[in-house]
Structures are given as C-alpha cells and as structure tokens.
Amino acid sequence: MGPADGGQLRLQPVRAVAELLQVDRNLVPPAESGAFLAPDLVEPARLDSSGPPRHPLRHDQQLPRQRVLLVRPRVPPATGGRGARARGARAPAPGLRAPDPRRLPPWYVTKVFWDATPPESRWLVANPAQGSKHNRGAAVDITLYDLATGKPVEMPSTYDEATPRAMADFPGGTSRQRWHRALLRRVLEADGFTANPSEWWHFDYRDWQRYPI
C-alpha cells in the first residue's frame, strides 16, 4: 500500500509459527492488578446507527474472515468515532481502512510474534509480559482509502515499512502523500488517539492504560 519499493522486513522465525500457535493459544495473559475499566469491544463501522457512515472502516479484503474490534470509550468525551466522521475531509472523500486486522491481536498472537522473532529483532514486536496496546483494544493500525475506487491512498511510505519514510513526521514524499498522512492524523487525534512517531499508521488511544489485556 503506497509508493513502490517498500522496506518491509522479512524475518526467519526461530520456531515454526504453526507450532507456536498450537502451544501459545492455550496460555493465559499475565495477571494484572489495578482498577481497570470493563472492556466493551465493538466494530467501529457499526457505531453510527443514523445511517451509512461517511467514512466507513473496512479491513483488507484478503482477510474476509477477520474483524476489526476496538474498545468503546468509557470516559468522556466518548465520541465513539462519530466525531472523526463529522470532522472529515472534503473531496476526495476518504474511508478508514485497517490494512491488517491481525495487528489488533488477542494476547496469544502477541506471544507467538515474540516467540517466533529472533532475540536481536524483538524491538519490532511487543513484549507479551506487559501486553500491548493492541491487546487492550486501544490501538489501531489504519490508513485511508478512496471511497470512489476502494483503493488505499498513497502515503509517504508503504504500510508496515521499516525505513525512515515511515516516521510520522518524515519530510519527504510528495505533497499529496504528506497531505493524506496529515489528514489521517488530524481525524484520529480529534477523537483522542495519539500518533506513533515511528509509524504513521499506528495510533494509540489516550486511555489505553485503563483497559485490561
């Protein structure tokens, strides 16, 4: 998704992923203490009951059986995503797209990532001992797509790229690519998300610490 010649890293798993899935699926997340808010997982595309959402959320069509779920905010202002649609852009009308729903994983998938990744490359993945913001339903990897064509818009880098182009403030690329990136960030920040400085597509919800794994 995006300009050509992306820099996605390809890692050789230290153990077979299929084997790890069988083992780690039966493990339980680490115990946590604290007064957490009760999670309420919802599909963002279903939040607006007043009609078709102006900026519908969709996931990659190569993964039709996957669903994108996020925690419904329990503290004001609980816009539930409607504020982002109300403050959206003019033409070309964008939609929100989750490129890979597997990046909003249950805890055991994070454990599989960790166990499969070579130790020297584990800076790329979340430590399952603490759980990730994704595990809490309070982070999303997201981009924009054109409602007229269904195609993702161009950003300064490809999705999940491990190069400086992926930085949230990377000054290169075209002015249109940077405008798309700024639009995505403006819409998400208006609803309480914070951009990850290293990945323009990754956004964390402001109260992620208040939700359990």
Side-chain angles (χ1 to χ4, degrees), residues 90-178:
R90 305 299 189 265
L96 296 173
R97 182 174 186 174
D100 188 353
R102 292 170 295 184
R103 300 305 299 273
L104 291 87
W107 177 84
Y108 79 87
V109 176
T110 297
K111 184 71 163 60
V112 169
F113 288 171
W114 183 262
D115 292 341
T117 301
E120 66 274 12
S121 299
R122 283 180 172 169
W123 61 271
L124 289 165
V125 294
N127 188 336
Q130 286 83 43
S132 74
K133 300 178 182 72
H134 284 303
N135 296 153
R136 302 172 193 277
V140 64
D141 289 354
I142 201 162
T143 188
L144 300 174
Y145 74 95
D146 190 309
L147 291 179
T149 66
K151 295 181 180 179
V153 304
E154 276 204 1
M155 297 291 188
S157 84
T158 56
Y159 168 70
D160 217 14
E161 182 174 314
T163 77
R165 298 194 309 182
M167 302 291 288
D169 59 354
F170 175 65
T174 68
S175 59
R176 187 172 185 83
Q177 290 166 351
R178 294 192 300 273

Side-chain angles (χ1 to χ4, degrees), residues 11-56:
L11 300 179
Q12 180 63 38
V14 295
R15 292 180 64 185
V17 172
E19 172 190 334
L20 289 171
L21 281 169
Q22 293 297 320
V23 175
D24 292 344
R25 188 187 294 270
N26 297 318
L27 300 179
V28 297
E32 297 184 291
S33 61
F36 293 106
L37 296 172
D40 178 15
L41 293 175
V42 295
E43 291 184 87
R46 298 178 180 271
L47 285 174
D48 191 347
S49 60
S50 62
R54 207 178 134 203
H55 301 283

Side-chain angles (χ1 to χ4, degrees), residues 133-134 138-140 192-197 202-208:
K133 300 178 182 72
H134 284 303
V140 64
F193 287 85
T194 300
N196 184 308
H202 179 116
F203 291 85
D204 300 320
Y205 189 64
R206 60 172 170 252
D207 292 318
W208 66 266

Side-chain angles (χ1 to χ4, degrees), residues 42-92:
V42 295
E43 291 184 87
R46 298 178 180 271
L47 285 174
D48 191 347
S49 60
S50 62
R54 207 178 134 203
H55 301 283
L57 177 70
R58 64 186 253 182
H59 56 70
D60 194 306
Q61 295 305 302
Q62 297 177 8
L63 300 165
R65 296 178 181 272
Q66 301 289 333
R67 295 187 352 181
V68 176
L69 300 174
L70 289 172
V71 165
R72 189 196 310 266
R74 292 300 186 96
V75 292
T79 65
R82 288 186 292 273
R85 287 195 289 272
R87 289 184 290 273
R90 305 299 189 265

